[in-house]
Amino acid sequence: IDFAYLGDPEKYDSHSHVLRDEETEEERRKKITDQEHLEGAFIAEFENNLNEFHQLFSDVLLYYLDICIFADKLESCHYVQYNIGSLLQHGQGKQLLVETIYLYGSALIAIEMYIPGTIRERLLIAHQRYCKNETTASKGVTPSNLQAPVNNFEQLCKLFQRTDRECIQDEMPIIPTHFLDRMGILPSLLEQVIHALMTHDMYEDKVSFPSFKHRTARLSKQASNIFVILQFHPKMMAQSDLMRQVVDRFFGDN
């Protein structure tokens, strides 16, 4: 059962969704009993698997919430010595910011590629219905300016609901529109990180690739970073001038 369960939980918990109007009362009772036995066998066999997938989804969500906390603290100068701009001038600091967002985006893309949306929805609903023991990972740690329930089920549903893409392909898929920005990251952070990727040599590989002909190879790591990070800011992707600069800088010899 996917997110259709959320529209009428009683219908599915009472197993009335498997019944037909033309069935007799005895047939209905037998079908409900069979359904209960089937669900009991499913829980006994797959409860650990449900917990493992839920742990994966919860860890990705908590990582996102940690990014929000970090971004809010940078924006408010909580760290005194550093804000977003000054951290992007720091050699290792700018790598930290870029790779933090890139890792989160890569995790979402990998989940979209290998766990189709219908499966994600069914896993979340099955865990919510059958697995009563909450783990630490299912309890939310949220940014100080947000007030979220202890159970992050609604946030998990928002982050991992199905997209228009439902099949697994060997080649890199087109990332569904507005997939990575479902739960936004601070826009000012994204804009400054993208600007830094466009203007800085993040990994200082010029010594290894001194020739201008090798610029694309030298900036290949940053090309991967900006490809993912731009997905969090669709408005910037709609700016044709900016995208032209991205192509010229990172993919000029392709």
Side-chain angles (χ1 to χ4, degrees):
I1 302 172
D2 56 21
F3 284 178
Y5 171 85
L6 301 175
D8 190 358
E10 180 62 27
K11 173 183 176 182
Y12 295 96
D13 291 339
S14 64
H15 309 299
S16 60
H17 66 289
V18 301
L19 305 179
R20 300 292 178 267
D21 294 337
E22 63 274 11
E23 293 173 337
T24 65
E25 190 64 29
E26 183 177 351
E27 289 174 332
R28 287 174 170 242
R29 284 197 299 268
K30 183 179 184 301
K31 187 170 279 190
I32 289 175
T33 301
D34 291 343
Q35 188 73 15
E36 290 174 348
H37 289 164
L38 181 63
E39 290 188 357
F42 173 81
I43 297 168
E45 181 71 20
F46 297 110
E47 184 175 9
N48 288 339
N49 299 92
L50 291 176
N51 285 325
E52 289 173 358
F53 277 107
H54 190 267
Q55 182 79 43
L56 169 64
F57 298 149
S58 295
D59 285 346
V60 173
L61 174 60
L62 292 179
Y63 183 74
Y64 160 76
L65 295 173
D66 285 342
I67 293 175
C68 291
I69 294 172
F70 185 51
D72 288 344
K73 288 184 176 180
L74 283 176
E75 182 77 0
S76 62
C77 298
H78 174 84
Y79 298 109
V80 182
Q81 304 98 325
Y82 293 107
N83 56 29
I84 297 174
S86 62
L87 194 58
L88 285 171
Q89 299 301 320
H90 188 278
Q92 294 179 338
K94 58 188 177 185
Q95 295 177 20
L96 169 67
L97 280 181
V98 168
E99 293 177 6
T100 295
I101 303 172
Y102 172 76
L103 179 60
Y104 170 57
S106 298
L108 290 179
I109 293 171
I111 289 174
E112 171 67 9
M113 288 179 65
Y114 297 108
I115 310 178
T118 51
I119 304 301
R120 295 196 299 269
E121 291 187 3
R122 291 170 185 173
L123 288 168
L124 287 170
I125 293 299
H127 185 274
Q128 182 73 4
R129 293 182 68 196
Y130 304 133
C131 302
K132 302 301 182 183
N133 296 325
E134 290 187 350
T135 61
T136 302
S138 69
K139 297 184 177 181
V141 180
T142 59
S144 57
N145 62 338
L146 298 178
Q147 294 182 354
V150 173
N151 190 313
N152 278 332
F153 178 69
E154 291 184 5
Q155 291 173 302
L156 287 170
C157 289
K158 181 178 180 180
L159 187 59
F160 294 109
Q161 64 183 322
R162 73 180 70 188
T163 64
D164 295 335
R165 177 187 173 276
E166 290 300 327
C167 60
I168 299 175
Q169 302 173 354
D170 292 333
E171 65 274 12
M172 179 64 201
I174 297 175
I175 300 174
T177 306
H178 297 293
F179 173 51
L180 297 191
D181 69 328
R182 283 176 171 177
M183 299 178 68
I185 296 174
L186 189 67
S188 59
L189 172 63
L190 293 173
E191 290 166 4
Q192 292 186 64
V193 165
I194 291 170
H195 180 265
L197 284 167
M198 291 294 298
T199 57
H200 296 181
D201 183 355
M202 290 285 181
Y203 300 97
E204 300 179 353
D205 287 334
K206 192 171 183 178
V207 175
S208 302
F209 300 94
S211 174
F212 181 79
K213 296 178 181 180
H214 301 150
R215 185 180 68 165
T216 301
R218 173 166 61 88
L219 297 175
S220 59
K221 293 180 183 178
Q222 288 179 225
S224 299
N225 293 334
I226 202 167
F227 172 81
V228 172
I229 294 173
L230 276 170
Q231 310 298 323
F232 291 103
H233 206 319
K235 289 184 179 180
M236 293 192 73
M237 293 181 65
Q239 299 176 19
S240 57
D241 292 344
L242 172 64
M243 298 309 296
R244 179 73 262 172
Q245 294 175 37
V246 170
V247 171
D248 290 342
R249 175 171 169 79
F250 297 108
F251 309 103
D253 59 353
N254 291 339

